[in-house]
Amino acid sequence: MLSTLSRAAILRVLRSLLAAELASLSRRQIAPATAAGWGADLALGAEGLALDSLEKVGVGTAVNRLFHIHEVGVEDMLLSLTRLGEWAELVERVLQEGTSGLSFLSSGSTGEPHAHTHAAAALAAETAFWAERFAGCRRIIHLVPAHHIYGFLFSVALPEALGVPVLDGRALSPAALRQALEPGSLLVGFPLGFRRLLGELGRVPPGIQATSSTGPLPEALHRALLEAGMEAVHVVYGSSETAGIGVSAAPEDPFTLLPRWRPGGAGEAASLVEVATGAEWPLPDRVDWLPEGRFRLQGRKDEAVQVAGVNVYPTEVARQLEQHPGVAACAVRLDTTLPEPRLKAFIVPAGQADLAALSEALDLWSRHNLAAPSRPVHFSFGPALPVSPLGKPADWAA
């Protein structure tokens, strides 16, 4: 599968990767519509992207890491080439010669991002599974970046396998997106993106299917998408480490394992076993296994919650807030009453305090010291942390 990727598909990945890397390296915020317009003739130097020497090294390193160009021994060529199309041509040649696979970065939500390698055979097998499931698809519109594993599988590998056109929905206005959603379209997205989509479009034209991944799709949002006209919404459970693990197509349905996997341990010891190799993979979630390779998720083992598709750790956020001189004790939880869940915090002040001033100070401190998904958006106050009648930590109304 990798050896036959078209030049257009490779360019799609490169555009996505370059935009993300420049945001990380130099805080250069490149709109999806701008990146979508980068063609093969785009210069990497002053007359085009204007990469300085450090940016070119950084972006070249990312391209090498993803496509394993070093395995063919031509990674130094990335620094001498001058146009985006030349990079795509080099990647195409490397893939045709053959490498051990592709390496995708994790989100870094639990620390430093890590690269996870996926063998070409595993990627091809999963692509074949999705190609069979979406055999009637006539167009793919993606709302996710193409250089992460989910985006690569559905906006690069799948359209190549099906021979259908692909559009970057992030580069389209709401009106243009509605027009692009023709019957037979597959919309590749994520929970927060779908919530925004409903706000922008209201209803969805008939004959549209969708996939959702990167985080749990709340049942209420799943039902809202179906009520808005979606023909089906396929929820994909997976990770950067494993790629796809399971899929569910209805809010009340359990997940069904993809053919690559069979059940391993359950509960706190939840794991998968790779059918081809017998290798066991630990899962981040507790799992209840059901007959015929089906399963239900029973919450994170590490107590992480998801905010906008990012894993955050309320206990760690509380520990950080307790470093503020105005805080004696703190509890943090996910506020699921909000349209898009965010964190809330309960604060026991250190001594007498003007609560309005302390709330404002904590909000400012959080904006400076915490990443956006980890920042509480509401602070409650009291003389002691909330507990149940049995003395266990309890929830509170924000």
Side-chain angles (χ1 to χ4, degrees):
M1 182 269 290
L2 295 182
S3 63
T4 59
L5 276 185
S6 69
R7 189 82 57 86
I10 294 168
L11 278 169
R12 193 174 310 130
V13 180
L14 290 177
R15 286 194 291 262
S16 178
L17 180 60
L18 263 65
E21 287 298 315
L22 288 175
S24 175
L25 290 167
S26 309
R27 300 187 184 275
R28 290 172 60 177
Q29 300 302 319
I30 297 167
T34 300
W38 292 345
D41 61 346
L42 177 72
L44 302 175
E47 68 275 26
L49 274 180
L51 300 182
D52 63 29
S53 59
L54 294 180
E55 288 173 332
K56 193 168 187 181
V57 169
V59 172
T61 298
V63 173
N64 177 41
R65 179 182 59 233
L66 174 57
F67 290 106
H68 292 207
I69 295 173
H70 57 277
E71 293 181 7
V72 180
V74 293
E75 67 273 21
D76 288 346
M77 290 185 63
L78 288 167
L79 300 181
S80 63
L81 299 175
T82 61
R83 298 194 178 274
L84 186 60
E86 294 174 344
W87 274 12
E89 183 179 357
L90 178 65
V91 170
E92 184 179 37
R93 177 158 67 89
V94 167
L95 295 179
Q96 288 173 351
E97 291 193 29
T99 67
S100 60
L102 301 182
S103 292
F104 300 92
L105 283 184
S106 60
S107 66
S109 57
T110 61
E112 286 296 316
H114 295 287
H116 302 281
T117 298
H118 295 266
L123 293 171
E126 181 166 344
T127 300
F129 172 83
W130 297 121
E132 182 177 354
R133 190 177 183 96
F134 298 112
C137 172
R138 292 161 49 186
R139 170 184 284 185
I140 291 176
I141 303 170
H142 65 97
L143 305 175
V144 294
H147 67 285
H148 289 302
I149 181 65
Y150 171 51
F152 177 84
L153 284 166
F154 282 91
S155 72
V156 179
L158 181 59
E160 290 279 285
L162 294 176
V164 299
V166 57
L167 294 175
D168 188 343
R170 302 169 304 164
L172 303 177
S173 67
L177 179 58
R178 176 183 287 277
Q179 187 174 4
L181 287 171
E182 301 171 350
S185 297
L186 176 64
L187 189 60
V188 180
F190 60 104
L192 181 57
F194 283 127
R195 194 178 297 280
R196 291 172 178 162
L197 183 77
L198 285 180
E200 292 172 347
L201 299 186
R203 290 198 58 80
V204 178
I208 309 300
Q209 296 192 70
T211 65
S212 179
S213 194
T214 74
L217 182 68
E219 283 195 14
L221 179 55
H222 196 155
R223 295 184 191 281
L225 289 167
L226 296 175
E227 292 168 1
M230 285 283 186
E231 182 178 297
V233 180
H234 307 259
V235 182
V236 181
Y237 174 61
S239 70
S240 300
E241 294 87 344
T242 60
I245 292 172
V247 61
S248 172
E252 67 279 0
D253 282 358
F255 288 94
T256 299
L257 281 176
L258 272 61
R260 178 182 174 186
W261 308 105
R262 62 178 174 83
E268 291 290 339
S271 65
L272 293 168
V273 177
E274 192 171 23
V275 173
T277 65
E280 188 171 15
W281 295 70
L283 287 171
D285 298 281
R286 303 178 187 90
V287 168
D288 280 348
W289 294 111
L290 305 172
E292 299 177 345
R294 296 176 301 151
F295 63 96
R296 292 189 185 277
L297 301 177
Q298 300 297 336
R300 296 277 303 196
K301 298 176 185 176
D302 55 14
E303 299 183 349
V305 298
Q306 290 234 333
V307 177
V310 175
N311 293 334
V312 297
Y313 298 83
T315 301
E316 174 60 20
V317 174
R319 186 192 67 78
Q320 291 180 270
L321 282 167
E322 287 174 344
Q323 297 175 14
H324 189 281
V327 176
C330 175
V332 174
R333 291 202 174 194
L334 187 68
D335 186 354
T336 58
T337 66
L338 298 173
E340 182 61 35
R342 296 290 299 270
L343 295 184
K344 61 182 180 179
F346 192 99
I347 303 295
V348 177
Q352 296 295 322
D354 179 333
L355 298 186
L358 180 56
S359 179
E360 184 177 344
L362 289 173
D363 181 70
L364 182 62
W365 185 93
S366 298
R367 291 177 185 275
H368 286 165
N369 293 278
L370 299 172
S374 298
R375 180 176 64 83
V377 296
H378 187 274
F379 294 94
S380 299
F381 299 90
L385 296 179
V387 295
S388 71
L390 298 177
K392 295 185 178 181
D395 201 1
W396 65 93

